[in-house]
Amino acid sequence: MIYLLEDDDSIRKLVAYALESQGMEAQDFAAPGEFWKAMNDNTPELVLLDVMLPGEDGVSLLKRMKTVPTLRDIPVIM
């Protein structure tokens, strides 16, 4: 499972479509709150993370992920 966090609807839909059309399972999120809720339920194999997000920017979100032992080893592409 790949998690995609991107606040721009058109970019998020395009990237999710590209991933799924190549046979990958992807779940997309428009806001950090939705992303964190999903992280509690399922741990992805990869996170595609936007830098500029509403509420919490991608850099602080990445730092927060790296402080959680179960999340720190997840690869992240920004």
Side-chain angles (χ1 to χ4, degrees), residues 54-65:
E56 181 178 10
D57 68 74
V59 174
S60 64
L61 195 145
L62 176 61
K63 288 178 183 177
R64 188 171 156 195
M65 278 180 64

Side-chain angles (χ1 to χ4, degrees), residues 3-20:
Y3 280 3
L4 166 63
L5 180 54
E6 168 63 61
D7 61 322
D8 185 302
D9 289 338
S10 58
I11 294 171
R12 188 177 63 255
K13 289 175 185 176
L14 176 67
V15 173
Y17 172 78
L19 292 169
E20 290 170 352

Side-chain angles (χ1 to χ4, degrees), residues 2 11-12 19 32 40 46-47 54 60 63 67 71 76 78:
I2 299 172
I11 294 171
R12 188 177 63 255
L19 292 169
N40 290 330
L46 172 67
V47 173
S60 64
K63 288 178 183 177
T67 64
L71 305 179
V76 177
M78 296 184 82

Side-chain angles (χ1 to χ4, degrees), residues 9-77:
D9 289 338
S10 58
I11 294 171
R12 188 177 63 255
K13 289 175 185 176
L14 176 67
V15 173
Y17 172 78
L19 292 169
E20 290 170 352
S21 70
Q22 295 301 309
M24 298 174 216
E25 188 177 358
Q27 188 169 354
D28 60 282
F29 307 95
E34 301 168 0
F35 171 80
W36 284 117
K37 286 178 189 174
M39 289 292 265
N40 290 330
D41 297 333
N42 188 18
T43 303
E45 297 172 44
L46 172 67
V47 173
L48 301 178
L49 181 59
D50 187 13
V51 175
M52 295 174 33
L53 294 163
E56 181 178 10
D57 68 74
V59 174
S60 64
L61 195 145
L62 176 61
K63 288 178 183 177
R64 188 171 156 195
M65 278 180 64
K66 296 304 178 181
T67 64
V68 180
T70 57
L71 305 179
R72 77 172 52 143
D73 293 328
I74 299 170
V76 177
I77 298 174

